[in-house]
Amino acid sequence: MLHHPPAAGAIGWRKALADAPALRAVLRRAGAELVLHGHARDARMDVVAGPSLPIPCLCVPSSSAVPNPKDQGALWHRLRLMDGAGGPRAMVEVRRWSTEAEAFVPDGAYALSLPRVRSRDSGENVGR
């Protein structure tokens, strides 16, 4: 979990993570199941290279942003991590701020497949 997005082009260079190429190199070498971050104006899903499979990078905007013509406004995502026969995955429930309801309301859900990270010591899959 980090503040700035690690994926190239996710936000403008002026607000981007200064050492993003170095972080992407670490992720490419060591792997991760999921990267969570903020700092972009809208929710987005990017990927960065992992040791064997792409690593999903999930971004959510500020949870206090008011919807406006430039920004989708506040969102939050509830993730339920699961490990099954098909491998690790996250069930993601999205909720958005509704100015009409003055509350967060459901805004969809989806399943996200996650790469399995192997333990360095044992060579075994690290799962939940």
Side-chain angles (χ1 to χ4, degrees):
M1 182 181 296
L2 64 155
H3 183 68
H4 293 269
I11 59 176
W13 68 270
R14 194 172 61 82
K15 294 184 177 182
L17 183 63
D19 59 352
L23 175 60
R24 287 193 299 270
V26 169
L27 291 169
R28 189 173 29 259
R29 218 175 27 255
E33 289 178 334
L34 177 64
V35 174
L36 302 173
H37 68 87
H39 203 70
R41 296 180 92 127
D42 293 320
R44 58 181 296 131
M45 177 68 69
D46 296 299
V47 296
V48 297
S52 58
L53 293 171
I55 301 167
C57 300
L58 176 61
C59 172
V60 295
S62 169
S63 61
S64 62
V66 176
N68 64 68
K70 287 186 171 182
D71 303 316
Q72 69 186 148
L75 292 175
W76 61 265
H77 293 56
R78 179 170 42 191
L79 281 71
R80 190 175 71 207
L81 302 175
M82 305 169 73
D83 197 12
R89 67 184 188 279
M91 302 305 293
V92 182
E93 175 190 347
V94 180
R95 297 183 67 84
R96 68 173 172 79
W97 179 256
S98 166
T99 52
E100 295 81 28
E102 295 184 346
F104 282 94
V105 297
D107 196 37
Y110 60 93
L112 177 61
S113 294
L114 305 173
R116 187 174 300 278
V117 176
R118 297 194 180 273
S119 166
R120 278 192 197 175
D121 299 333
S122 67
E124 295 293 319
N125 288 331
V126 175
R128 288 178 230 307

